[in-house]
Amino acid sequence: MTLGLDLDFRRWPALERRGRWPGTAKQAEGAESAPGAGGGAGAEPTLSERELRIAAALAEAAMPPGRFLEGAGAATASRLAAWLCSIPPHLAQGLRAALWAIELAPVPMRFRPLSALPLEERMEVLRSFEQSRTLALRSLLRAVLTPLRFIHYDRPAMFEHVGCRYELPTVRDEAPRWLSQVTNGREVEEDLELECEVLVIGTGAGGAAAAYELASRGHAVLMLEEGDYHRRSSFTGRPARAYREMYRDHGLDMAIGNVGIPVFAGRAVGGSTVINSGTCYRAPESTFASWRDGMGLPAEFSSEGLAPYYERVERMLQVAPADPLHLGAIGPIVRRGAERLGLRHGPLQRNAPDCDGQGICCFGCPTGAKRSTDVSYVPEALKRGAQLITAARVRTIDIVAGRARGATAVLGGDTRADGGRAARGAGRRRPRLVVRAEAVVVAGGALMTPLLLRRSGACLPSGTLGKNLSIHPASKVMALFDERVDQWQGIPQGYQIDHFADEGLMFEGGSLPFDVAALAVPWTGHRYTELMELYPRLATFGFMIKDTSRGEVRPGLGGTPLVLYTMNQEDVAKMQRGVELLCEVFLAAGARRVLPLVAGCDEVNGPEDLARLRARQIKAGDLDVAAFHPLGTCRIGVDPRSSCLGLDHQAHDVAGLYVCDGSAIPSSLGVNPQMTIMAMSLRAAELLSERLSG
């Protein structure tokens, strides 16, 4: 059965309901289960008895007991099996393959698989993997140890041992009037046909800002979001829950190349703004100048030209310097080191005016202080008459005679934590949503937007769709101090060293909760456990580089993005310089031990060690790298032969199709991109509004 809903284009107080149509948003179904669980009743076993023994043997050698932290073993392996039920099947299969690769690796030299070796020999094997200059071996070890460590440390008792809070109490959600404008796609039971003026796909930095601007100008706007609308009751500070419910692919997406790089993106109302640290920068004029000089973009793409839009974003987000009262201990530590070295430093700009330093920004703000789009642009768009449907996975943009005329989506499908396994097992056809629109704004992010456009046959003539990927590579250095640091308290990213910004190096705080810190240390065996027991005195600080390397996004297994990225030597040198400078800052601040997390260089504890690090010829694969800001895979430009979009963000080859997200940004910005994405999206929405009203 197909439902037809007729909507007035100019005055849209609410969707007219016909047939079964739920009225308000509701939290994603499923009570919070034990950490690592998620298979549910009837879930198929994911590990055989032999594989359970392999996982247990590996966990026992990698995470032995310490003075007060218990060791891993069979129980950890069992919890891994339960966790595998909750992730997409192709990822679970990949992890099983990695288990077998580690199991068989010792056979040529020791004539026995890993699980058959005595404990001390197993530790020696893992130590050889850990210390190897061969990227494949270290990546294999990391692929298996990451979930094992997360599962092992994600328990209240482990947090109690080091004096940390495990989770926050659940708060009761409010029910504002604008929530009636939100429909949970999981609750829709019949096919729907809707009509609107502008369809906005995605509610992150770009989509939410565009929807707000268009709704403010009187247009009938429908937002579709693949993820769920998480309210404050979801933000309990547990990374396990956030990765499962708010991160794309459980935070397991990796860029593959000469270094394996996790690339994190959000999947929820608010997109990546829900899970970022709230850092707000305007792009530097040098970046805009490179766009004008190298790509021929006009003068309106400049600090002056975009200033009015930046100002509007800053008012909406209430951007201000981080409150020194909530910087925690790491801010003063970095200030001490930077001052002794004569470096420019200070609190960074954030969008959290009422922050109280809970320290879990990347897992959803529990107080609503962080002005992510789920608490700023989206509610303001809804107040102005926009509509929102969640759990709506868009399959294709509907293009008729060279013009975007809407989209087709599936409701409630492929967005659950179990990768859609529950819906497939039930054998029930998921409801289909067909939307007719005068214009379509795609804002799925730099990883997903090119996949949707490719499926739809759009933005293909230039051959650049999915290419030109920049990821703003990031790394970190850890250090042990005599005093307590308790990095889990305070703003995790509230301080900066911007002394080297002109070189493309930005140093920003990156404090880690206990269980996430457990993933960040590449060591194994007794020294790993000893370091984790010293967590209260462990400090972390990070940096990002303005990359000149470029990658590509292609369709991958199960609808996930396949991200290819090779780091060039210029960027490797820049990353090495960042590590060296952070080591120097920590040493100047009085660190007892400095851990650069570079393969073959475990510690830098004085000038001689620092000199040896500087003399090393570091390869890309030696670095511990992550990425949070993918950009450029559907870039704007003046030449249709080298870009996908015009200067108004409209596709060169499809009328009425606009892209307003990080994929439209022409190059790496050198700073956190959310404000630039929002500013450029406000400008694009303004131009679209003028066209619709003309």
Side-chain angles (χ1 to χ4, degrees), residues 191-204:
D191 290 346
L192 296 174
E193 289 186 4
L194 303 179
E195 187 173 306
C196 63
E197 190 172 14
V198 184
L199 173 64
V200 177
I201 301 168
T203 59

Side-chain angles (χ1 to χ4, degrees), residues 277-278 318-332 335 346-359 361 369 489-496:
S277 295
Q318 300 179 39
V319 174
D323 188 340
L325 292 175
H326 300 301
L327 290 177
I330 292 181
R335 180 176 65 231
L348 53 73
Q349 298 284 108
R350 304 185 70 241
N351 63 347
D354 298 315
C355 178
D356 60 357
Q358 295 281 355
C361 306
Q489 294 181 324
I491 301 169
Q493 190 166 292
Y495 212 76
Q496 66 177 357

Side-chain angles (χ1 to χ4, degrees), residues 371-648:
R371 298 277 293 164
S372 47
T373 62
D374 60 311
V375 298
S376 56
Y377 278 112
V378 169
E380 292 303 319
L382 295 171
K383 292 175 186 177
R384 287 156 177 78
Q387 301 285 315
L388 168 62
I389 300 177
T390 64
R393 183 177 178 85
V394 177
R395 297 300 192 190
T396 58
I397 307 298
D398 299 329
I399 301 172
V400 180
R403 175 175 287 276
R405 291 297 188 183
T408 300
V410 172
L411 298 177
D414 290 349
T415 59
R416 288 184 181 274
D418 61 8
R421 196 174 302 179
R424 289 196 300 273
R428 179 174 62 87
R429 188 183 74 85
R430 294 184 289 271
R432 188 177 71 154
L433 169 66
V434 176
V435 180
R436 295 186 295 272
E438 292 295 299
V440 176
V441 175
V442 179
L447 301 184
M448 300 305 291
T449 285
L451 303 187
L452 172 58
L453 295 175
R454 188 174 297 280
R455 289 197 303 268
S456 306
C459 298
L460 298 176
S462 70
T464 62
L465 181 66
K467 299 180 179 179
N468 189 51
L469 173 70
S470 65
I471 60 173
H472 211 179
S475 192
K476 60 187 173 297
V477 171
M478 292 178 156
L480 279 166
F481 287 82
D482 290 331
E483 72 260 34
R484 287 187 68 98
V485 176
D486 289 329
Q487 61 174 306
W488 61 279
Q489 294 181 324
I491 301 169
Q493 190 166 292
Y495 212 76
Q496 66 177 357
I497 300 174
D498 60 349
H499 193 88
F500 305 95
D502 291 342
E503 299 180 27
L505 268 171
M506 283 293 297
F507 295 84
E508 303 173 4
S511 300
L512 303 174
F514 179 54
D515 47 354
V516 179
L519 312 182
V521 179
W523 300 349
T524 58
H526 293 296
R527 68 172 186 158
Y528 170 79
T529 303
E530 290 168 2
L531 183 63
M532 293 313 300
E533 291 186 328
L534 295 173
Y535 172 79
R537 297 195 285 114
L538 189 65
T540 308
F541 210 72
F543 67 91
M544 293 180 284
I545 68 165
K546 184 178 181 180
D547 52 333
T548 59
S549 309
R550 292 295 178 265
E552 182 178 355
V553 178
R554 299 178 183 175
L557 295 174
T560 60
L562 173 62
V563 185
L564 306 176
Y565 185 89
T566 297
M567 188 179 293
N568 63 32
Q569 192 54 45
E570 177 185 349
D571 288 345
V572 173
K574 203 179 298 182
M575 293 290 290
Q576 180 170 354
R577 177 157 165 75
V579 171
E580 293 166 359
L581 287 167
L582 262 185
C583 289
E584 195 172 2
V585 168
F586 274 136
L587 288 173
R592 175 62 60 90
R593 297 166 62 189
V594 178
L595 317 176
L597 306 180
V598 173
C601 183
D602 289 339
E603 298 196 27
V604 172
N605 295 328
E608 296 83 5
D609 292 340
L610 190 57
R612 281 192 289 271
L613 174 60
R614 286 177 172 146
R616 286 177 64 89
Q617 187 64 42
I618 288 180
K619 301 182 296 184
D622 295 337
L623 296 160
D624 181 65
V625 187
F628 305 90
H629 307 142
L631 303 171
T633 52
C634 189
R635 63 179 173 182
I636 63 171
V638 296
D639 188 349
R641 295 171 299 179
S642 60
S643 60
C644 296
L645 313 172
L647 301 180
D648 59 355

